[in-house]
Amino acid sequence: EEWLAERELTDCVWILDEEHVWKSAEITKDFHSGDNVLQLLLEDGTVHLYPVDPSKPNLPPLRNPDILVGENDLTALSYLHEPAVLHNLKVRFVESRIIYTYCGIILVAVNPYKQLPIYGDAIIHAYSGQNMGDMDPHIFAVAEEAYKQMARNHKNQSIIVSGESGAGKTVSARYAMRYFAVVSKSGSDTRVEDKVLASNPITEAIGNAKTTRNDNSSRFGKYTEISFDRRYRIIGANMRTYLLEKSRVVFQAENERNYHIFYQMCSCADSAEFKTLRLLSADEFRYTSMGGDVTIEGVDDKKDMEETRRTFSLLGLKEDFQSDVFKVLAAILHLGNVEIRSSGDDRSSSNDPHLAAFCDLLSVSPSELVRWLCHRRIVLVSETVVKPVPKERAMAARDALAKQIYAHLFDCIITRINTALQVPGKQHAFIGVLDIYGFETFDINSFEQFCINYANEKLQQQFNLHVFKLEQEEYMKEDIPWTLIDFYDNQPVIDLIEAKMGILDLLDEECLFPQGTDQSWLQKLYNYLEANPLFEKPRLSNEAFVIQHFADKVEYSDPVGFLEKNRDALYEELVDTMRASTPVSDIHPRPVAFLTFMQYLKLNLYLNFQIVKILNSYTPIDDFEKRVTSSFVRKVQVHLGPGHYWKEARIRGRFIY
Ligand SMILES: Nc1ncnc2c1ncn2[C@@H]1O[C@H](COP(=O)(O)OP(=O)(O)OP(=O)(O)O)[C@@H](O)[C@H]1O
Ligand SMILES: *[C@@H]1O[C@H](CO)[C@@H](O)[C@H](O)[C@H]1NC(C)=O
Ligand SMILES: *[C@@H]1O[C@H](CO)[C@@H](O)[C@H](O)[C@H]1NC(C)=O
Ligand SMILES: [Mg+2]
C-alpha cells in the first residue's frame, strides 16, 4: 500500500544487478496489490518481468525524480535508501567531481584518490565564520561548525571520522586539524599549532603500513584532543591510541609491508650516523621482506625519513632520544633474522651476527638470550628443570619478543609526543578528533580483524543512537509528524561478541585451560552459538566462524591461533633477561608487567569506550544540548576502477537509513 502510494511520484525503480549493483528500470504497467509480477523496461530497451511474491511483496526501491538528484543534502531526497544514496553521490562525483555531500548533520565524503584544489588556506578563510548550511558541503564546514559551537556556544566538541580502510579518514582528520590550526593561531613564538600537526607524520611513520587496501593504512586508532584557551586559541593537544596491530611487526601478508619506519631506516642504511645499527636493505631482513615488494609506488622512503626526523625535532624530541628509538627499531630487525636451527641448540647461534647486533644494541647478554629463547624452565614439585623447546616454540618466543618491544616503543613515543604537546595551565575547551580504523574484511580475517570489527560495531551503535535521537529531536521541535524509524540496531551482534558465554567470554575461558586449543574453543562456539542467527559455522571448515556484522558477513580464521594471540605469551625467562639488561634510556624495552593480549585489548577497548563515554555523557543523548555536540563525518570508499566502481561502493558503504 505504502509503496503504491509513494510510487505516485515516480515511474522508475532500482533493481539489483550482478555487474552494476543497482540499475534503473521504468514501470511500464500499473501494479496492483496481489499481482505476482511487475512489468519493467530496462534502460537498454529490454522488457524485464520482476517477480513479486503476493504473500510478502518485495517491491524494488523507488527511484527519485531526476530533478532531486544531485542535491547537496541527502535528506532532501524523497526516497532515501541505498540505491538512492549511491546514485546521488555518483551523480555529484562523476558529473561534477564533488566529493562532499551532507546527510543532515553528517558529512559523507567520497575518496577522489587524487589531489583536488579545495584545501588551500583561501578556502579555509572562506569557510571561517560561515554557517554550515550556507556553504557547499566540506570537511572545513564541519570543522568550522565544531569551532563555532565551541567558541560561541561554549560546548566541547568531537568529530568522529569513520569508514572502512582506505576511505580517507586519516586525510580528513588531518584537514580538520589543519583547519583549527589556521583559524585559531596561537600567535606565540612556540607555534604550538605546528607541533600539533607535526604529531601526524610521526604516528603515521610508526603506526601506518601498506596493506592491500591502502598504501598508507593506519594500523591503530587515534583520538586527538586539541586544547584551547579562553580566547579559543590552540594551547596544546593530547593523543590516545588504540589497538596497534602488533602482529604486523613479525608477519605481513603478500604485497603488504611492515610499518613505514622500518623501510625509512633501511633506505638510510649507508648513512654515517646509522653505521652502528648495522642495517641492511629492507629485502634482507625477514621482518620487512615477507610481503614480497619492499617499495611503494610513488613513495620515497629516504625522503620520508627526513620528514620523520624533522618532525621529531620540531616536537623537541632530541637527537639522543631519536637515536635510542632507531637503536630499538634496528634491534627488532636483527632479532627477526636470528636463525633458530634445531631444538635446544644454543651453541650454533653464538656466532650469529644478527643475534650479536641485537644484543649489542640493547645491551642484552647473548648467552642468556639464547638460553631462554631455546629453553624453558619447568617448575616441578621438588625441583626446577630446564628443558629445550621445539624449534617452532623458540621462533614463537622470538617473534613475541619483537612484537612486545615494538608495542612498548610505540607507547613510549606517543607518551613523549604528549609530553611535548602538554598544555601549560588549564585547558578551557577542547575539540576531539577520532580517527578509528574502519571495518575490515580481507581474504583471511584473523584475530586482529575480529577486534577491529568489534570496535566498529561499538562505534556504529553510538552513531545510530546519536543520529536518530538528534533527528527525532529536530522533528519534534518543528512539529513535523514523524514515525519512529525502525533503524538497524546492532546490539545483537555486540551481545554475540561480548555477552556472557559470548565469543570473547568463551575465548578467555579457553585460554585458562592448559589443554585449550583453537579447535576446542571453536567447538564450543559451534555448540553454544549455532542457534544465534548472526553466527555461522562455515560448511566446509572446522577452523573458522562467520559473523554477520552491520557492514558485512565476515569469516574469521587465524593461522597463528586465536588462543595464541589472546594469550600473547611472552616467556617469563625472556622477560627476566630483558629486565636485567642495561637500560639504554627510558625507551629501552624493560617489560615490567606483561598483560595478556586480552587484558591489553580490554584496557584499550575500555579506553576506547571511554571516548564513546565521553560522547555519551557529553552528547545530547539523555540531555539535549548539553556539554558537547558531535559532528560525524562518514566516509564512503569508492574505487575508480572500471566496472567495479559501484559494486565496491555498495559492498562497502552501508547506510543506516
Ligand atoms: N580528500 C582526499 N583527496 C585526495 N586524496 C585522498 C583524500 N582522502 C583520501 N585520499 C587518498 O586516499 C588514501 C587513503 O586515505 P586514508 O589513508 O586517509 O584512508 P583511511 O580511511 O585512513 O584508511 P585506513 O583505515 O586504512 O587507515 C590517501 O593516501 C590518499 O591518497
Ligand atoms: C603516508 O604516511 C607518511 C608517513 O610515513 C606521511 O608522511 C605521508 O604524508 C602519508 N601520505 C599520504 C598520501 O597521506
Ligand atoms: C570542556 O572541557 C573542559 C576541559 O576538559 C572542561 O573544563 C569544561 O568544563 C568543558 N566545558 C563544558 C562547557 O562542559
Ligand atoms: Mg587511516
Side-chain angles (χ1 to χ4, degrees), residues 166 168-171 208 214 216-220 435-437:
K169 298 181 293 295
T170 304
V171 170
N208 285 24
N214 181 359
N216 217 359
S217 184
S218 320
R219 310 312 299 159
F220 66 109
D435 171 12
I436 187 164
Y437 54 156

Side-chain angles (χ1 to χ4, degrees), residues 93 138 164 272 321 330 403 657:
F93 183 62
H138 198 293
E164 55 227 291
F321 176 78
K403 284 191 289 186
Y657 278 92

